[in-house]
Amino acid sequence: MRSGNPSLKTEAFENFNKADTGRKMTIRGTVNKTFILLLLVLVTFIYSWNQFVTSPNSVLPLILVGAIGGLIAGLITIFVPKISPFTAPIYALLEGLFLGAISAQYEVQYGGIVFQAVLITIGVLFSLLLVYKSGLIKVTQNFRLGVAAATGAIFLVYVISFIGGFFGFEIPFLHESSPIGIGISVVIVIIAALNLVLDFDFIESAAQKQVPKYFEWYGAFGLLVTLVWLYLEILRLLSKIRSK
């Protein structure tokens, strides 16, 4: 795997039609598509946030539609990258619904936490981009495997925690505001942030291979997946610290 992010895999662009003489993917094009997706997230984020402000009890359907619909749109994009110009914007809109409602709930409990989480997420994004471009972090095969393994382990823990919730089982410290719980969240945030480095590497490698133009949307989608995860983990970490 080129990236720990399951949506960005080397296999996604290794088997494209090399006879294709159409327009090719560029890094600038991917950056532009990423900004478009972020704007779409912002539109539905604001709508969902306002719905919570006016009627807190009405946002549960938005959370469910955003979470389940976003998962479906994301899986379709992963398995059929060629239609990512259509599915990636749909994913962004659905994630905005989910994030807006969830963020509003956190904001009610901890005033100002959402603004802090957004600033930190943006700061981490640009900081790691500068570090990656400067060559301070070398994306070696061992680095990729390590981040991918850590990401998979976190995903497995979350799945066990989710299923265990139906049977009254909780993973110790995972959701607690204790020093250990905060430490666990810090580690998860670091792993999520390192996935950004692998995403940058994937996008750069795909552009160098001159894959078809639609991979700009696919690369932007993969980057958005990581940013959503990173933002949510930062939000959780800040809430633990504020609760403490």
Side-chain angles (χ1 to χ4, degrees):
M1 292 180 66
R2 172 75 59 178
S3 171
N5 184 338
S7 65
L8 296 183
K9 300 181 295 183
T10 304
E11 291 84 352
F13 59 81
E14 279 188 341
N15 298 320
F16 69 91
N17 184 9
K18 291 182 172 56
D20 184 4
T21 58
R23 298 174 65 195
K24 304 299 182 182
M25 173 185 178
T26 65
I27 293 178
R28 168 179 269 185
T30 306
V31 171
N32 292 338
K33 303 301 189 298
T34 302
F35 277 115
I36 291 173
L37 294 184
L38 288 174
L39 286 174
L40 292 176
V41 169
L42 182 61
V43 169
T44 49
F45 182 100
I46 293 174
Y47 170 78
S48 185
W49 178 290
N50 289 336
Q51 286 295 109
F52 180 86
V53 172
T54 57
S55 180
N57 295 326
S58 68
V59 297
L60 180 58
L62 295 180
I63 294 176
L64 294 176
V65 169
I68 298 174
L71 176 62
I72 294 173
L75 290 174
I76 293 173
T77 306
I78 292 171
F79 288 108
V80 192
K82 199 165 188 176
I83 63 173
S84 57
F86 306 101
T87 55
I90 293 174
Y91 170 82
L93 290 170
L94 290 169
E95 283 301 309
L97 290 177
F98 172 73
L99 293 177
I102 293 295
S103 297
Q105 292 178 346
Y106 273 100
E107 185 69 17
V108 169
Q109 290 182 284
Y110 313 100
I113 192 173
V114 171
F115 183 66
Q116 294 172 352
V118 170
L119 283 184
I120 294 173
T121 302
I122 294 173
V124 170
L125 171 65
F126 285 104
S127 296
L128 286 180
L129 179 58
L130 289 175
V131 169
Y132 171 74
K133 296 302 292 182
S134 68
L136 292 176
I137 293 182
K138 302 295 183 182
V139 185
T140 64
Q141 186 62 21
N142 287 336
F143 181 83
R144 296 188 188 103
L145 290 174
V147 175
T151 303
I154 292 170
F155 174 75
L156 180 60
V157 168
Y158 278 154
V159 170
I160 294 174
S161 176
F162 176 76
I163 296 175
F166 292 103
F167 303 97
F169 169 75
E170 292 186 359
I171 295 179
F173 306 113
L174 183 62
H175 303 294
E176 296 179 8
S177 300
S178 65
I180 296 178
I182 293 174
I184 291 173
S185 284
V186 169
V187 171
I188 294 175
V189 166
I190 291 173
I191 298 301
L194 290 177
N195 269 276
L196 287 174
V197 177
L198 299 188
D199 295 346
F200 299 150
D201 182 64
F202 173 92
I203 292 170
E204 187 173 54
S205 298
Q208 290 174 352
K209 289 179 179 290
Q210 295 189 318
V211 297
K213 191 72 173 176
Y214 65 82
F215 271 95
E216 292 178 353
W217 285 105
Y218 187 71
F221 157 76
L223 189 56
L224 180 61
V225 170
T226 303
L227 285 173
V228 168
W229 178 33
L230 178 61
Y231 167 75
L232 287 173
E233 294 299 345
I234 290 174
L235 201 58
R236 278 167 48 83
L237 173 59
L238 291 177
S239 70
K240 287 183 178 182
I241 294 173
R242 295 278 290 273
S243 176
K244 183 67 176 178

